[in-house]
Amino acid sequence: MTRSDQVTSPQVHTHGTVAPEATTYAVRKLQAALYHAPAPVLHSRLTLDANAPGDRVEAHIDVNGVAVHVHAVGESLQEATDAMQERLRSRLRRIRRRPTQGPRAPEPDPA
């Protein structure tokens, strides 16, 4: 299994005036962070909000049944995206260190 098959294309939601370059940058940063996921990423959603006080970026990720949510606010969407990526990588490392977190693995068939 290669690591690239774990990364999904996120659903992207925007609020306010968000440049296409900012969206592309945020998607790339999210996907780069998802390479650190300890299990397959089942779903990912990215929200860029230029209407919030400060620019806000949120990521909602489902890592094999474990929900992960991070958000960051910055003076620009790029700054908020960079902070979101660092927080997401930190959370994904924490999941890796706590393997008992999340749903239990299926029991092997006795047959």
Side-chain angles (χ1 to χ4, degrees):
M1 175 173 76
T2 63
R3 298 293 289 174
S4 63
D5 64 355
Q6 292 186 14
V7 178
T8 63
S9 296
Q11 290 181 336
V12 179
H13 302 279
T14 59
H15 300 284
T17 305
V18 177
E21 297 83 21
T23 302
T24 302
Y25 181 79
V27 168
R28 285 186 184 153
K29 288 291 194 169
L30 175 68
Q31 290 176 330
L34 293 180
Y35 280 106
H36 297 277
V41 175
L42 304 178
H43 179 75
S44 59
R45 186 175 76 223
L46 183 64
T47 304
L48 291 88
D49 190 351
N51 285 341
D55 290 335
R56 179 181 174 100
V57 177
E58 293 184 25
H60 296 267
I61 315 297
D62 181 348
V63 181
N64 202 28
V66 177
V68 178
H69 170 250
V70 295
H71 70 274
V73 177
E75 292 185 22
S76 68
L77 283 173
Q78 182 173 350
E79 181 180 315
T81 298
D82 291 340
M84 176 275 304
Q85 181 189 29
E86 286 303 313
R87 290 177 184 171
L88 180 57
R89 288 172 62 188
S90 175
R91 295 273 170 87
L92 293 174
R93 282 192 296 266
R94 194 173 307 141
I95 290 172
R96 189 178 321 127
R97 287 183 289 188
R98 298 180 186 199
T100 58
Q101 190 175 15
R104 291 179 174 235
E107 295 293 326
D109 288 335

